[in-house]
Amino acid sequence: MILRALVSVVRVATSTDHKVIGLLYGFTSLTFLLIGFLLVLLIRWQHAFAGQPLPLVGGLLGENAPGGIMLPEFYNQLGAMHGTIMVFLGVVPLAVGAFGNYVLPLQVGAPDMAFPRLNLLSYWLYLAGGLVMLVSFFMPGGAASSGWTSYAPLAVIAQDGQTYWLAGMLLVILSSLLGAMNFITTTVQLRAPGLTWLRLPFFVWAQLITAFLLLLAFPALQAAAILQGMDRLVETSFFMPSGLVVGGQIVERAGGGSALLWQHLFWFLAHPEVYVLVLPALGIIAEIIANNTRKPLWGYRLMVYSLFVLGFLSFIVWAHHMFLTGMGTTISAFFQATTMIISIPSVVILSALILSLHGGSIRFNTPMLFALAFLPMFGIGGLTGLPLGLATTDIPLHDTNYVIAHFHYLVAPGTIFALFAGIYYWYPKITGRLMHEGLGLVHFFGSLVCMNLIFMPMFAQGLAGVNRRLWDAGAIYTHAQETLYLNVPMAWAAIALAVFQIPFIVNLFASLRLGRPAGDNPWEATTLEWATPTPPLAHGNFARPPRAYRPPYEYSVPGAPADYTPQGEEGA
Amino acid sequence: MIEWLGMPVAASAEAADVDRIMALVHWLMLVLFVGWSTFFVYVLVRFRRSRQPVANYHGARARWASWVEGGVLAAEIVLLAFFSIPVWSARVDALPAERESTVVRVVAEQFAWNVHYPGADGVFGRTDIRLVNPDNPLGLDRRDPAAVDDITTINRLNLPVGKPVIVHLSTKDVIHSFALPQMRIKLDATPGLVQPVWFTPTVTGEWDIPCSQLCGLGHFRMRGVYAVLPPAEFDAWLAAEAARQ
Amino acid sequence: MEIPYTAEIRPDTGLTNPKLGIWLFLASEVMLFGSLFASYVLLRIGAPSWPVQSAVLSVPLATLNTVILIASSATMVLALAALRRRSLPGYRLYMGLTILGGLLFLVVKAVEYGDKVSAGLLPSTSNFLGMYFTLTGLHALHVVAGLVVNLFLWLPGAAMWRTEPARFAGRVEVAGIYWHFVDLVWIFLFPVLYLL
Ligand code: HEA
Ligand code: HEA
Ligand code: CUA
Ligand SMILES: [Cu+2]
């Protein structure tokens, strides 16, 4: 009995089937999302009631919270690890590792990924990296505490946790690089006959560009991590200038390094990375909107071209994170300009998605609701990027909660919503059953309200000049006093947000047995993944080799028998 | 607009420029967001399934969409070319003459702001990291003649109103960020670099100096205080300090 | 289930999967070494002083290593050519020589490292030495990885020759592309670290 369970576990954990690997990615990354969320709940409570014992969990934190009162050291670990886990172990593995793995081969009509074994290796590297990150919490000195940005010299002189962070990142990076290779090769080489470039679903395009970003941007952080590792382990001075005095002690190093070098290398990755966080989300949204408006996407080509522009430009805007490091006019002018320009393709894609609604016959099911909510949320996040992108207005806003609010609108009610939408949308293809609508609605409206209650006030705090990464949320500053009280409702909203995830988790597991049987194509969708049997065949996905005869979103074609004409259906 | 944004009082000559752009860009954002949202809500209501049973294959014939996008770009270029870049260059290139200005050194460390006034002779005394100790955090070499009249304080930056101030910013250990919210200035103190930042206080008052870059476990409490005083009061204070040190 | 185009070429792209794969991987490798090289330049420009590199490092040893590595690249080409000639023995010979070259390179490198360390020249001594050890060390790691692959293709992997010759030749070709890249990186590092 136990043995059989063990065997099946091993079989799953060593399968090279892209669908199984996709699900492994899915569960691991969801678990990490949950962990990242729990960490930040502590932060939110701490911000509301700094210096007071944490209820319930306070005792469990041991020497991190003597008497249940959180230490600043531990607060910094929470912040750094929340960011790291959410970005590198939660959202990207879910958006790319899980959705990319499961859906992309199906949408291009491939039997599997181009390199199935490499695919499995990617997953194991990712898991290993994630575990290294987690164990670091239990090491002396705890986890990394220098922010997800790990700025040197702080990170160089930090506790051992930082070394684990670097090791974990190197594993995750390797995993992503192999993954990116695999996705690109699969898309280029394994497209079904008739599936020409401009017949690819937008989701595939988004994943393809994302893969290129990962492939070409991640090596910069790889290099940076190696250099910081050298600085920490063999005492080189790549990021250590001469003449530092830490805690009254002169730092005995060769010196001559550059603290800004780290920032350049880091942001050269991290800006493209933020588009990695959003492009797959846009892909998911596009699929769901086309399907639930029952009409083709508006300006499909325009959207694809915008993706290219976005992908290219994202490599030349990185220093907008460094305006206040003492940048001269010319360089800042360049990066302000590129930053303003890069907002245009995003505007184009967003407008195209909104215009796609026009003339549609809109069905409001749970996936569609999440997809629709994504648009204004992304709008708020994106628009607030503009004052940050102008160096002058960045002066008062840099490193305040305004920045935190800016990007959380993009990643939390933005990307996370898109990921939820994707789960509700593809669940029936994966399990053969639909998720429960009622629970879905509770999950949706609850999350939408709470997210805004948490992040909207941060704009006010940021404008008032309240900084981010503060253990006491700025309680000692006079200019923070007017907006301090907001942290209390924000804390409760965060807890409510957690509560509203319960219907989702229940739904996710209960629907496996109780969900309404879905058949092969419950949403009456056109793209190729719905032409597979449900679930797709373990070997080769498709019952008979697929072929594409038309563009991806042929909904409501005038004179067609049904309001949708599958891409793989014989004919013109 | 700017008053709705609830930013700290603008107490320097340069603040107005920053605030003007802040207001403009937020107007742009507001207009775009309201515009898009109205359209968004309209289509959701107008094209719901019950109202529109059959979708229109061709969808919107939206010429104006490209106009909107063009408009956004135009607005951004204007903000950039006519406001942000000129103001920025004014902020970083037009260093006022040291003679007409109050010049101070600010040296950040975990977790405090060390302030160094040149004193009557207007010359900063020699400093040496080997001299750094708890009572001499700057490592100021008092044997150096230029150093005798120097004045050092911790977490206390007093300035005269109505006269340019030049701060030569540096740090002893990790990256910190020197921010005076009411002056609308902020600059990272980067190890290995000494960088100038300047402004002209126009309003007297006493405010906080928040450290704005994560610099370790004490980041949250790395708070300094700065006071903009009437010139007479400032000189009196300087004299008193000089006498004490 | 068969993945298409693992061995045969896809007409419209003109590529096999492994070939596209390796080129993509090398693209990321270029970015990796590119970033490190950029860091080297930035540090060197920013540094108050920089040692005369050729005086610190041993140019003769490095020249020797350059020759060895280029030779091993050549034998790699011959190994593939032999396979194309359907001659397994020829392949065995040249691949063997390639592996030998790789090993020699590592031996020389080890000697070089030994000299430095015994002379008290450590990565922590100066950023130049730090960069030297980082770049050459990372390159050496790539050599080791290449050796592992080549060893596999030399002995156990060659069994595939009997069953799927085309696929095996494909693998050797891919291994070759990687090996030439490793060679290329060295040819780049040599002047940058030893001469300039
Ligand atoms: C998904 C991730 C994501 C995305 C897409 C973006 C998009 C943008 N970001 Fe953001 N950004 C981050 C994630 C992201 N960012 C993160 C994580 C940080 C902080 C890192 C850290 O310091 O820890 C950051 C920080 C950051 C900074 C540094 C701030 C500082 O530290 O001082 C800047 C400055 O230029 C910036 C600018 C921009 C701009 C101009 C865009 C533009 O691309 C935005 C373009 C989009 C629009 C203009 C919206 C258009 C939409 C509509 C108009 C439709 C509206 C629809 C309806 C109303 C229905 N971002
Ligand atoms: C993708 C990136 C991402 C995401 C999704 C989030 C999500 C959230 N973040 Fe995070 N955050 C960052 C990236 C992200 N964050 C980064 C980079 C920083 C900067 C760190 C630094 O300063 O260095 C940061 C910092 C940050 C701060 C500032 C800390 C500080 O300044 O010191 C705060 C404060 O409130 C915060 C809050 C939240 C909240 C409430 C959410 C919520 O939206 C969380 C929502 C999560 C869920 C809804 C979970 C869904 C999962 C499930 C339901 C699991 C189901 C599980 C199974 C089935 C097994 N974040
Ligand atoms: Cu000093 Cu933060
Ligand atoms: Cu950015």
Side-chain angles (χ1 to χ4, degrees):
Chain A
M1 178 57 219
I2 300 163
L3 193 72
R4 187 151 350 86
L6 210 68
V7 170
S8 52
V9 166
V10 172
R11 188 168 305 118
V12 169
T14 59
S15 161
T16 58
D17 178 352
H18 73 98
K19 299 182 289 299
V20 179
I21 297 175
L23 292 175
L24 283 173
Y25 261 111
F27 270 95
T28 321
S29 51
L30 275 172
T31 315
F32 274 116
L33 270 186
L34 196 57
I35 296 170
F37 188 19
L38 295 179
L39 296 183
V40 94
L41 282 179
L42 295 177
I43 290 184
R44 288 270 31 117
W45 190 268
Q46 168 68 15
H47 276 182
F49 310 106
Q52 297 175 32
L54 294 155
L56 311 170
V57 294
L60 310 175
L61 298 177
E63 76 279 15
N64 292 317
I69 298 172
M70 183 190 298
L71 289 177
E73 295 87 325
F74 185 58
Y75 175 86
N76 288 351
Q77 295 174 33
L78 290 175
M81 293 312 281
H82 162 72
T84 308
I85 289 178
M86 283 300 196
V87 172
F88 296 108
L89 304 175
V91 168
V92 174
L94 183 52
V96 177
F99 283 111
N101 244 309
Y102 199 103
V103 177
L104 182 133
L106 297 178
Q107 285 196 331
V108 300
D112 199 317
M113 294 288 272
F115 309 111
R117 280 206 229 82
L118 214 56
N119 200 12
L120 185 63
L121 178 62
S122 301
Y123 170 76
W124 281 105
L125 286 170
Y126 154 62
L127 185 64
L131 293 179
V132 170
M133 294 274 186
L134 286 187
V135 295
S136 69
F137 269 106
F138 305 100
M139 292 295 145
S145 58
S146 312
W148 82 295
T149 48
S150 292
Y151 275 12
L154 182 61
V156 173
I157 60 177
Q159 300 277 3
D160 294 354
Q162 185 62 25
T163 310
Y164 286 78
W165 188 89
L166 293 167
M169 282 314 299
L170 283 172
L171 288 165
V172 172
I173 291 170
L174 195 54
S175 154
S176 298
L177 291 177
L178 297 178
M181 249 173 81
N182 216 339
F183 282 113
I184 298 171
T185 312
T186 308
T187 316
V188 174
Q189 291 286 93
L190 302 190
R191 274 170 298 128
L195 196 58
T196 55
W197 288 109
L198 286 176
R199 283 183 179 179
L200 288 177
F202 189 71
F203 177 81
V204 176
W205 272 117
Q207 289 282 348
L208 185 65
I209 303 294
T210 306
F212 271 105
L213 294 185
L214 288 171
L215 190 75
L216 299 179
F218 249 141
L221 184 57
Q222 209 177 357
I226 292 170
L227 294 180
Q228 199 179 80
M230 295 287 284
D231 269 6
R232 290 181 54 85
L233 298 175
V234 299
E235 306 226 315
T236 53
S237 314
F238 298 133
F239 304 125
M240 300 291 278
S242 315
L244 297 190
V245 182
V246 175
Q249 301 303 321
I250 295 179
V251 179
E252 301 296 353
R253 293 224 187 192
S258 156
L260 285 179
L261 175 58
W262 168 268
Q263 298 184 31
H264 283 293
L265 290 170
F266 180 85
W267 289 118
F268 185 84
L269 154 82
H271 187 86
E273 177 73 16
V274 306
Y275 286 92
V276 168
L277 290 172
V278 85
L279 292 188
L282 286 169
I284 296 172
I285 298 300
E287 296 297 311
I288 294 173
I289 285 189
N291 173 262
N292 288 299
T293 52
R294 316 304 295 165
K295 60 181 284 299
L297 285 176
W298 187 91
Y300 166 86
R301 277 165 182 265
L302 198 61
M303 290 170 74
V304 172
Y305 299 149
S306 307
L307 274 184
F308 277 89
V309 180
L310 206 58
F312 169 73
L313 286 176
S314 63
F315 283 99
I316 52 170
V317 300
W318 78 90
H320 66 207
H321 296 269
M322 302 166 61
F323 282 141
L324 302 188
T325 54
M327 205 183 274
T329 303
T330 0
I331 299 181
S332 86
F334 172 78
F335 283 103
Q336 294 182 71
T338 53
T339 303
M340 287 303 115
I341 297 167
I342 201 174
S343 67
I344 294 307
S346 317
V347 176
V348 171
I349 294 178
L350 261 285
S351 324
L353 286 172
I354 299 169
L355 283 168
S356 299
L357 301 167
H358 193 286
S361 165
I362 302 170
R363 300 190 301 210
F364 293 94
N365 44 35
T366 313
M368 184 59 164
L369 285 174
F370 274 107
L372 289 173
F374 172 93
L375 300 174
M377 295 298 112
F378 184 89
I380 296 176
L383 290 168
T384 48
L386 301 180
L388 300 173
L390 297 169
T392 345
T393 40
D394 190 40
I395 297 171
L397 298 179
H398 177 64
D399 267 317
T400 65
N401 280 348
Y402 194 95
V403 176
I404 300 289
H406 152 66
F407 71 81
H408 278 85
Y409 263 97
L410 289 151
V411 294
T415 302
I416 294 262
F417 273 18
L419 296 171
F420 284 147
I423 292 174
Y424 284 96
Y425 181 67
W426 278 300
Y427 189 88
K429 173 49 67 185
I430 297 167
T431 64
R433 291 176 183 274
L434 290 150
M435 289 175 78
H436 188 273
E437 277 291 310
L439 288 173
L441 293 183
V442 177
H443 179 213
F444 168 70
F445 285 106
S447 302
L448 181 63
V449 173
C450 292
M451 288 276 191
N452 283 281
L453 286 178
I454 297 172
F455 296 120
M456 192 55 79
M458 288 188 189
F459 287 120
Q461 295 178 326
L463 283 161
V466 182
N467 284 343
R468 57 192 285 194
R469 295 169 166 173
L470 295 178
W471 174 81
D472 63 354
I476 64 168
Y477 291 106
T478 36
H479 60 259
Q481 297 311 315
E482 292 79 45
T483 55
L484 215 50
Y485 70 95
L486 288 168
N487 289 312
V488 176
M490 286 158 79
W492 290 112
I495 288 168
L497 179 61
V499 173
F500 279 115
Q501 301 314 306
I502 293 168
F504 169 70
I505 298 178
V506 171
N507 203 344
L508 200 63
F509 291 105
S511 304
L512 284 173
R513 277 217 177 14
L514 313 175
R516 201 151 46 74
D520 286 349
N521 188 358
W523 311 116
E524 306 192 307
T526 53
T527 40
L528 283 177
E529 76 266 33
W530 302 102
T532 61
T534 294
L537 304 178
H539 287 292
N541 295 331
F542 294 83
R544 49 186 180 71
R547 178 175 186 82
Y549 296 89
R550 54 180 63 76
Y553 309 112
E554 289 299 90
Y555 290 99
S556 310
V557 182
D563 79 337
Y564 70 108
T565 325
Q567 214 174 358
E569 188 174 286
E570 316 271 332
Chain B
M1 173 58 101
I2 198 66
E3 38 295 336
W4 309 340
L5 291 179
M7 297 176 69
V9 292
S12 77
E14 296 77 6
D17 295 336
V18 177
D19 290 5
R20 185 178 311 109
I21 306 176
M22 188 68 84
L24 283 170
V25 67
H26 277 83
W27 273 119
L28 173 68
M29 289 150 63
L30 191 68
V31 169
L32 280 174
F33 185 75
V34 170
W36 277 114
S37 309
T38 339
F39 179 71
F40 183 60
V41 173
Y42 161 73
V43 283
L44 289 189
V45 176
R46 167 64 184 79
F47 296 100
R48 65 187 189 279
R49 179 141 270 197
S50 51
R51 174 84 193 282
Q52 176 92 357
V54 195
N56 165 2
Y57 178 78
H58 301 288
R61 288 249 176 293
R63 274 270 144 277
W64 53 269
S66 40
W67 287 102
V68 174
E69 283 144 16
V72 178
L73 182 59
E76 288 178 352
I77 290 174
V78 170
L79 277 171
L80 200 60
F82 297 104
F83 294 91
S84 189
I85 293 178
V87 173
W88 181 265
S89 74
R91 297 301 296 111
V92 298
D93 297 342
L95 184 67
E98 301 229 334
R99 275 175 280 87
E100 290 94 59
S101 323
T102 319
V103 183
V104 298
R105 286 178 66 228
V106 170
V107 181
E109 76 176 79
Q110 293 174 318
F111 301 96
W113 302 100
N114 299 294
V115 183
H116 184 182
Y117 294 85
D121 62 356
V123 184
F124 289 105
R126 205 172 121 296
T127 59
D128 181 339
I129 59 170
R130 275 179 256 97
L131 297 176
V132 170
N133 66 42
D135 338 317
N136 185 2
L138 282 167
L140 181 61
D141 178 2
R142 286 289 184 185
R143 296 192 315 280
D144 172 19
V148 234
D149 62 351
D150 286 16
I151 296 161
T152 65
T153 64
I154 297 179
N155 290 331
R156 157 62 63 178
L157 172 63
N158 282 5
L159 300 166
V161 70
K163 183 168 166 223
V165 178
I166 302 178
V167 175
H168 293 290
L169 184 64
S170 62
T171 168
K172 285 161 67 176
D173 39 41
V174 302
I175 303 176
H176 304 267
S177 192
F178 177 76
L180 304 180
Q182 297 72 11
M183 304 290 141
R184 303 291 190 269
I185 65 144
K186 188 180 287 159
L187 182 66
D188 283 5
T190 308
L193 304 178
V194 181
Q195 293 174 311
V197 55
W198 63 90
F199 53 94
T200 314
T202 52
V203 180
T204 59
E206 181 164 292
W207 301 287
D208 291 339
I209 308 173
C211 176
S212 306
Q213 184 59 266
L214 181 61
C215 53
L217 61 97
H219 167 57
F220 75 97
R221 59 176 158 81
M222 184 164 165
R223 165 172 167 267
V225 175
Y226 76 107
V228 176
L229 308 167
E233 230 175 284
F234 172 72
D235 297 336
W237 174 80
L238 260 190
E241 283 297 316
R244 260 199 335 97
Q245 297 187 2
Chain C
M1 160 256 328
E2 261 310 305
I3 307 286
Y5 311 119
T6 36
E8 71 282 18
I9 291 171
R10 176 172 168 134
D12 59 345
T13 61
L15 289 163
T16 64
N17 302 348
K19 203 147 179 192
L20 177 54
I22 192 68
W23 282 118
L24 291 167
F25 179 69
L26 292 187
S28 83
E29 291 282 86
V30 169
M31 291 304 284
L32 171 60
F33 282 100
S35 314
L36 286 169
F37 178 70
S39 314
Y40 167 88
V41 173
L42 268 154
L43 285 173
R44 185 169 178 174
I45 293 173
S49 71
W50 199 261
V52 180
Q53 303 187 151
S54 51
V56 184
L57 304 178
S58 149
V59 179
L61 280 179
T63 323
L64 173 62
N65 250 351
T66 315
V67 176
I68 294 174
L69 215 52
I70 293 178
S72 79
S73 253
T75 51
M76 192 72 174
V77 177
L78 295 173
L80 183 61
L83 273 190
R84 293 268 157 80
R85 285 201 320 277
R86 305 239 171 309
S87 140
L88 191 61
Y91 161 74
R92 279 266 159 76
L93 169 67
Y94 289 121
M95 185 54 114
L97 288 173
T98 310
I99 294 168
L100 191 66
L103 289 172
L104 272 177
F105 177 89
L106 289 178
V107 173
V108 175
K109 200 100 219 88
V111 173
E112 216 183 324
Y113 280 171
D115 296 350
K116 296 284 155 299
V117 175
S118 54
L121 297 174
L122 303 173
S124 53
T125 311
S126 76
N127 270 343
F128 163 59
L129 281 162
M131 268 295 162
Y132 160 75
F133 278 103
T134 313
L135 282 165
T136 55
L138 192 65
H139 174 263
L141 276 182
H142 281 72
V143 174
V144 172
L147 278 176
V148 173
V149 174
N150 292 350
L151 268 170
F152 172 79
L153 293 174
W154 193 42
L155 301 170
M160 185 190 259
W161 175 248
R162 260 170 248 85
T163 51
E164 305 167 82
R167 184 147 172 231
F168 181 66
R171 287 189 168 185
V172 174
E173 185 180 6
V174 165
I177 296 176
Y178 173 79
W179 192 253
H180 298 321
F181 172 78
V182 174
D183 188 2
L184 203 73
V185 171
W186 176 259
I187 292 175
F188 193 63
L189 289 183
F190 176 45
V192 167
L193 288 177
Y194 290 79
L195 307 180
L196 297 178

